[in-house]
Amino acid sequence: MLRHIFRYTFLTHLREKNVLFWSLAFPLILATLFSAAFSNMQSAEGINKAIPLAYVAPASGNPLESSRGILEGIPRGGGSQDRLFELLEADDEQTARQLVLDGKAEAALLDGSQPRLMVQKVSLSQVVVKQVMDSISQARSTVVSLMRLGAPQQAMAAPDKISAADFVQPVPLNKSLMDHTITYFFALLAMTCLGACTAGAMTIITMQADKSLQGARVSVAPANKWLRTAGAGLAGYVVQLALALIVLAYVVLALGKSLGDQMPWVVLVVTLGTFLGYLMGMAVACMIRGSENAILGVTTGIYLFSSFLAGLMSQDVKRMVDQAVPFMGQVNPAGMITDSLYSLYYYGTLESKYILSMLLMSAAFMLLISLTLRRRYHDSI
Amino acid sequence: MTVFKAFFQLAKRNLGAVALYMGIMLFMAIMVTSSKPANINELSVSTENYRISIHNEDRGSPVSEALEQSLSQRSLVKETGSSERAIKDALFWRDVDYVVIIPAGFGEALLAGSPMNITSYASPNDYTHMYIDNHVNAFMGTMLAYQAIGGLSTQDMLAHTEKDLSSQAELSFAQQNTEPGWMTGLSYYFRYLSYSLFAALATGMGYVLSEMLKQQNMLRVRASSMGETRFNLSLAAASASFGLFILLFLVIGGFLFMQAPLAALSYPKLWLLFLSAVLYTLLAIALTLLITAFTRHKGAMSGIINVVSLGSSFLGGVFVPVELLGGGLVNISKFIPAYWYTAAVDKLIKANGSNNAVMSGYWKDMGVLALMVAVLLSSTLLINKYKRQKAI
């Protein structure tokens, strides 16, 4: 009997277009969209050509106030012989302003004893220009100050000394692991796993006499209720797990997203997550007395809200929940899955607390299912 | 009027799903306004909004504390845990962009002329850290320059250094923005409106049309005394009213949320934003009609609407800025209506006064959007005609 129920429930689930769309096609489409939209986000912004800078010479004509020589002499770096700035001569402030407004110059410099910069937006180029001009102003101030203190030799050496200062030692980080857009894929996988809750709810709906006509029909069949539930539940879970693994394979193999070096553990997390989602759907369906639509509406709402809190729409949401309401972050099923995947991806280890939380929650749902299904009989509907 | 009333009776039954998208819009508005600058007059090319965390292991040293204070004045200091794991977590989730660790004994070593290195962690692809690196190096280099002349007290050296470092190039906008803060917020609100507008409208309208355009219903309508043109006109009027109702609800919600005064109505820019949204509403109606021309199955329709609304928002520059999409992808995006809507609204956001070049770009984007509405409506009419002729 178990084999019979398993086989036909398995086939029913495979032929259910609605389930196939939401559990397979939708995550695949969403993953493709994420991949396309974030594909260019990690490519580092750099200075690949000289920064066009509108330049207005000092009004006083004093060569000591001019930064032109310094600006023209700065190399672009990275072994390149090219210059960092391309100076666009402007006669006056208005011409320089227009060059910026027309997008021909990234910034305009009105040179003098108190140099002024005009920009219209803030990006890497403007930060570089500001940084260079600040350094020049600061070095000038130091030279003047040292001269006043009666140290002309030190004053002459100061600009070189300051510009040569390099005391910041950056800690090398594995930048490929710092791709925070990966969290969208974690949330997507969590959504796929928890999407099994719709199939879990359908298992109960089709088994219980007061929830569907099919439920009423199978309830009068000479088959043990627990056997029916176990057979149908197992078949539904196997289909959902297969769909979740297809999504995982698509993300890793087709989209080329690296989820870390611990793939067997990732598969385990997906397996457990799908199990948790499936049981959650069954538990919700057991507890709600209502129509099929009402039950499916609640289960869909729960898993989408859970995925939303885990950062499906914005990673800031997950961080906000984790920091402002940590308890909610810890009991959120989608959060457990994303945290496990994050731990595997970023640290290469699966923390037992996440697995334990998922197992505990699964056990709690199983208990709920057992308590609500037992001794439930209908004399009439 | 019968068709018009029937439309809204059916629409009422599906109000829950429509309300869900309205809720999402409100939430997005909160997120967007909290992350965008309240007033874009504040030019932050410096590091004032740059989130850094300072771990000073050399407490008590005047030099270390002066460096810490100097950095605090130029950035937004955030607390993070001191363990390596806590620092890495904070960098991954972008709680902070930069972490600096001042080692124990740093102050004394600098005063002795043999400086110790400062350890730093920076987010990848973040360029502002160069500014902080530069500031730390300038601080230490300047201190060493004063230390070299000898005879100066620590306090004097620190005072001279801070005075020198405060000497900066003055920065200003090439063209000053005179817009109030709420206008900036409203402009961004309109930018993100396209997702919810389409999702809510298509979900509500798709449900109604799937019921009203059922083959059995259509056969009954054709047999009734009501002409087909009148039926179609009533349906078009009801669809337009439904779309306008959703648009007005979202716009008024945005107004209340941004606390815009009534005087906002006198801003031409607001009317241009509204005009863009009206055109996008027409486009959403046309697109929904096209979807219903293909399928009237509610499940399939829900799937298509979700894919189209999310897809066009991701690839059309709503959720992810167009500049961050690859060159090839941008070319594909140009076939998506949301791209032209976002481009038009972005031009208005960036427009300062009535810049002719910007405004001509805006009207060009609106023209493309109008053309897309015409193409979608024509396609729908063609498909419907074909299906009617073939009795599908």
Side-chain angles (χ1 to χ4, degrees):
Chain A
M1 181 55 79
L2 182 75
R3 206 167 65 178
H4 180 84
I5 292 170
F6 180 88
R7 185 182 167 199
Y8 284 99
T9 315
F10 187 83
L11 289 174
T12 311
H13 276 280
L14 277 186
R15 288 168 187 170
E16 184 59 61
K17 284 181 191 159
N18 212 18
V19 170
L20 284 182
F21 176 81
W22 290 108
S23 296
L24 184 66
F26 188 64
L28 292 184
I29 294 168
L30 211 54
T32 311
L33 287 175
F34 282 165
S35 177
F38 301 140
S39 58
N40 216 31
M41 216 173 243
Q42 288 302 307
S43 57
E45 191 181 359
I47 304 285
N48 302 318
K49 56 176 186 172
I51 300 169
L53 178 65
Y55 181 82
V56 182
S60 65
N62 182 352
L64 289 175
E65 289 181 1
S66 172
S67 310
R68 186 202 302 266
I70 301 171
L71 293 172
E72 282 176 342
I74 302 175
R76 202 156 71 214
S80 167
Q81 294 299 309
D82 300 328
R83 302 292 94 184
L84 181 61
F85 298 110
E86 178 197 352
L87 297 191
L88 307 173
E89 296 292 340
D91 294 334
D92 52 28
E93 182 175 338
Q94 191 49 39
T95 318
R97 186 191 306 274
Q98 203 53 49
L99 284 170
V100 175
L101 289 176
D102 293 344
K104 289 175 184 163
E106 294 285 351
L109 169 64
L110 310 176
D111 210 358
S113 57
Q114 292 288 319
R116 282 167 55 209
L117 283 170
M118 286 190 297
V119 298
Q120 198 53 28
K121 61 171 184 174
V122 177
S123 68
L124 176 59
S125 302
Q126 287 77 18
V127 170
V128 169
V129 174
K130 174 86 163 76
Q131 187 183 318
V132 169
M133 288 315 299
D134 282 355
S135 300
I136 293 172
S137 293
Q138 288 161 6
R140 269 188 194 146
S141 174
T142 307
V143 170
V144 171
S145 188
L146 285 168
M147 292 288 261
R148 282 182 186 152
L149 288 168
Q153 277 185 331
Q154 282 86 348
M156 289 301 114
D160 289 338
K161 211 172 193 174
I162 295 170
S163 63
D166 185 15
F167 301 112
V168 181
Q169 192 177 19
V171 175
L173 294 172
N174 189 342
K175 292 196 174 181
S176 64
L177 291 182
M178 296 291 279
D179 173 9
H180 64 295
T181 60
I182 197 76
T183 56
Y184 286 97
F185 291 92
F186 295 160
L188 176 84
L189 284 172
M191 184 198 78
T192 310
C193 292
L194 293 189
C197 75
T198 310
M202 279 307 291
T203 305
I204 296 296
I205 290 167
T206 53
M207 286 292 145
Q208 281 211 288
D210 61 338
K211 290 192 165 75
S212 67
L213 288 174
Q214 191 187 339
R217 197 165 63 239
V218 295
S219 293
V220 293
N224 181 287
K225 179 166 64 179
W226 298 109
L227 196 76
R228 280 190 284 118
T229 311
L234 194 62
Y237 171 65
V238 168
V239 172
Q240 289 299 314
L241 179 60
L243 298 180
L245 291 176
I246 290 173
V247 174
L248 176 66
Y250 179 74
V251 168
V252 176
L253 301 175
L255 299 180
K257 281 280 157 192
S258 165
L259 299 181
D261 303 326
Q262 309 289 328
M263 275 319 284
W265 291 106
V266 172
V267 172
L268 176 74
V269 170
V270 170
T271 308
L272 271 179
T274 311
F275 187 60
L276 174 63
Y278 200 84
L279 288 176
M280 184 169 80
M282 287 177 82
V284 170
C286 282
M287 286 187 295
I288 293 176
R289 285 174 183 269
S291 66
E292 180 182 330
N293 280 341
I295 294 169
L296 290 182
V298 172
T299 47
T300 309
I302 288 175
Y303 97 80
L304 281 181
F305 186 63
S306 175
S307 310
F308 169 73
L309 291 181
L312 185 67
M313 275 187 79
S314 165
Q315 58 177 342
D316 294 339
V317 175
K318 175 168 170 49
R319 203 56 182 158
M320 209 187 286
V321 170
D322 285 348
Q323 288 179 338
V325 205
F327 176 72
M328 191 187 265
Q330 283 160 8
V331 297
N332 177 18
M336 291 174 191
I337 300 169
T338 48
D339 283 341
S340 309
L341 294 173
Y342 167 69
S343 174
L344 280 168
Y345 170 79
Y346 201 42
Y347 295 109
T349 54
L350 180 58
E351 287 191 30
S352 53
K353 67 175 178 183
Y354 299 130
I355 294 292
L356 205 64
S357 311
M358 279 198 267
L359 285 173
L360 273 176
M361 196 169 255
S362 301
F365 284 139
M366 275 170 139
L367 189 69
L368 259 175
I369 295 164
S370 311
L371 290 176
T372 44
L373 271 189
R374 68 194 278 270
R375 294 183 184 173
R376 189 179 279 187
Y377 302 103
H378 302 93
D379 290 332
S380 68
I381 299 168
Chain B
M1 208 58 188
T2 315
V3 176
F4 194 88
K5 278 183 183 169
F7 185 102
F8 280 95
Q9 270 175 350
L10 283 168
K12 257 201 293 190
R13 288 189 202 165
N14 202 32
L15 221 53
V18 177
L20 177 77
Y21 288 110
M22 304 278 196
I24 289 174
M25 182 64 214
L26 196 67
F27 183 81
M28 278 172 68
I30 295 167
M31 294 289 293
V32 168
T33 44
S34 59
S35 63
K36 296 287 171 198
N39 188 350
I40 55 172
N41 287 327
E42 292 163 13
L43 195 60
S44 52
V45 73
S46 61
T47 53
E48 282 137 27
N49 295 321
Y50 190 58
R51 291 162 301 179
I52 74 163
S53 173
I54 306 169
H55 297 277
N56 188 355
E57 294 171 357
D58 192 34
R59 292 241 169 259
S61 157
V63 177
S64 302
E65 287 183 359
L67 175 61
E68 186 179 347
Q69 198 187 352
S70 185
L71 288 173
S72 313
Q73 285 165 357
R74 289 164 175 83
S75 55
L76 191 63
V77 177
K78 295 259 180 187
E79 294 284 329
T80 62
S82 55
S83 69
E84 188 166 341
R85 184 168 181 137
I87 290 172
K88 283 184 172 177
D89 277 345
L91 285 168
F92 182 88
W93 291 102
R94 304 296 190 270
D95 292 343
V96 292
D97 298 301
Y98 189 84
V99 179
V100 57
I101 299 172
I102 303 172
F106 168 81
E108 267 187 36
L110 188 64
L111 290 173
S114 51
M116 295 169 81
N117 280 342
I118 297 271
T119 308
S120 76
Y121 293 81
S123 292
N125 300 334
D126 167 63
Y127 49 80
T128 318
H129 76 87
M130 294 181 339
Y131 204 86
I132 297 287
D133 286 347
N134 190 55
H135 185 76
V136 172
N137 283 324
F139 179 91
M140 293 173 72
T142 311
M143 276 292 284
L144 285 173
Y146 285 111
Q147 186 266 346
I149 63 172
L152 286 177
S153 71
T154 306
Q155 291 309 322
D156 285 345
M157 280 195 276
L158 287 172
H160 280 299
T161 302
E162 191 49 42
K163 181 180 158 284
D164 293 347
L165 294 185
S166 61
S167 174
Q168 292 183 355
E170 190 190 317
L171 188 74
S172 61
F173 271 114
Q175 192 171 36
Q176 197 59 36
N177 187 11
T178 51
E179 242 173 32
W182 54 260
M183 189 68 206
T184 309
L186 257 180
S187 305
Y188 279 103
Y189 182 85
F190 269 91
R191 190 182 186 281
Y192 291 93
L193 192 77
S194 60
Y195 167 70
S196 292
L197 185 61
F198 175 71
L201 201 151
T203 306
M205 213 177 115
Y207 174 83
V208 175
L209 293 181
S210 68
E211 289 289 337
M212 290 189 84
L213 300 180
K214 266 182 187 166
Q215 202 175 20
Q216 292 294 320
N217 276 348
M218 287 311 291
L219 290 175
R220 208 175 299 155
V221 168
R222 278 174 202 157
S224 73
S225 59
M226 181 183 271
E228 197 160 337
T229 312
R230 200 173 149 204
F231 174 82
N232 285 338
L233 281 176
S234 299
L235 208 58
S239 301
S241 307
F242 183 70
L244 202 64
F245 169 76
I246 289 179
L247 175 65
L248 282 177
F249 186 88
L250 287 171
V251 169
I252 292 169
F255 242 77
L256 294 175
F257 183 72
M258 302 298 164
Q259 297 175 345
L262 269 179
L265 297 174
S266 63
Y267 277 71
K269 182 170 169 178
L270 185 76
W271 290 105
L272 289 174
L273 286 167
F274 187 69
L275 181 68
S276 317
V278 168
L279 196 55
Y280 198 77
T281 308
L282 288 178
L283 188 127
I285 292 172
L287 200 52
T288 312
L289 286 172
L290 185 66
I291 293 169
T292 48
F294 280 110
T295 179
R296 277 156 206 167
H297 185 269
K298 281 177 204 156
M301 211 182 268
S302 165
I304 294 172
I305 289 167
N306 267 291
V307 170
V308 171
S309 59
L310 280 171
S312 61
S313 297
F314 270 106
L315 301 182
V318 183
F319 291 162
V320 181
V322 173
E323 302 87 62
L324 294 177
L325 302 175
L329 205 58
V330 171
N331 289 333
I332 297 171
S333 300
K334 286 179 182 167
F335 291 96
I336 298 172
Y339 172 89
W340 297 100
Y341 172 77
T342 314
V345 173
D346 276 351
K347 285 192 179 75
L348 289 177
I349 289 173
K350 285 172 191 161
N352 212 343
S354 52
N355 187 326
N356 285 339
V358 172
M359 288 315 292
S360 72
Y362 166 80
W363 289 115
K364 193 190 103 186
D365 295 340
M366 293 289 280
V368 175
L369 211 53
L371 206 65
M372 282 181 162
V373 175
V375 169
L376 286 172
L377 283 175
S378 311
S379 311
T380 310
L381 289 173
L382 205 68
I383 291 167
N384 283 339
K385 187 180 174 189
Y386 175 80
K387 284 177 107 173
R388 199 166 50 240
Q389 282 173 348
K390 297 280 175 188
I392 300 170

